[in-house]
Amino acid sequence: MKKSVLSCCLFLLVPSAMAEQVYSDPNPVTRSLVLQHEEAVVTAGAGYGESHNGESITTPLLAFAYGVTDDVTIGPLGVRYRFNAFDSGNQPNLELVAEGGLMGFYESEEFGDSFAIGAGFAGKYRLSSQFAFTFGAHYVSWIEDERDNRSEVRANGGMLYQVHPKLTLFAQAEYRELKDFAQDNAVNASVGGIWNVSHRSEVTFAVNYDDFEPAKDGYEDDSLAECMMGISYTYRY
C-alpha cells in the first residue's frame, strides 16, 4: 500500500548539556508551544484509515523537533518562533507563535507531487492548569510542476482538557478556504487523548475526519484518508 502522507523529518541535533537539560511541562494544557533550549523530541507511530473511495490506508508517523533556543523550535512544519510567552503569575494566559514551512503533500501520477509551503501563527489561551483553547491561521501555497500553483487559507480552533493528572483529552477542527481547487472549501476534525507515561514521554491516540477529496483535483485517492485512527509515542531528551 502506498504511503498516504509524506514522513516529515529533520536532522536531529543532540543537546550538548544533557546533565542540566530542562524539559517541557508534561501537562499538555500548560506546556509551551515551543521546546526548551536544547530539548529534542522524537515521535513515532502509525495510522490506519480509509480513503474517500473506500480503499484502506496504512501510514507510518515519524517526526523530530529540536529547541534551538527557548523561543525557537525546528520541527516537522519547519520553524516556530514564540513572540508572546505565558506569564506564570497571571491567569488566564496567552501564548503566541509564528511558524512556517512544509504544511502538506499530495501525490499525482498525472501532475506530479504537490507540496504545500505556508506560514502563519498559532496560539494557546490557558484558562487554568486543566483547560485551554488552541487556535491558528495560515496561508498556504501548493507548489506543482505541471500546472499553476494553488493556494488556500486555513483557520483552526480546539481545546485541551486534563481529566486526570496523566490523561488530557483534546478536540480540534480546521476550515480550509480553497482557491483554484475543485472544492471551494474543506474541513477536518480530530478528537483524542494524551497519556503521560512519564515526565519525558507520552502516548497520543486520535481519530481524524477530513472531507477534502483529493481525486477531484487529480491527486491519488490514498494521498489522504477520509477517516483515520492513529497512535504515537513521544520521547523527550
Side-chain angles (χ1 to χ4, degrees), residues 3-4 20 26 37 39 58 77 86 92 94 99-102 113-114 122 130 135 145 153 170 194 201 205 217 220:
K3 296 178 182 178
S4 66
E20 300 177 1
H37 180 215
E39 179 183 15
T58 302
L77 293 181
F86 285 140
L94 177 66
E99 58 188 3
L102 180 65
D113 294 339
S114 181
Q130 286 79 43
F135 55 91
D145 292 333
V153 175
F170 67 85
I194 303 169
S201 64
F205 51 92
D217 290 284
E220 299 302 307

Side-chain angles (χ1 to χ4, degrees), residues 65-97:
Y66 176 71
V68 180
T69 72
D70 285 340
D71 295 315
V72 178
T73 293
I74 300 175
L77 293 181
V79 178
R80 175 174 278 185
Y81 169 69
R82 180 175 62 182
F83 59 91
N84 190 76
F86 285 140
D87 179 357
S88 59
N90 294 316
Q91 290 286 358
N93 223 323
L94 177 66
E95 183 180 32
L96 294 170
V97 300

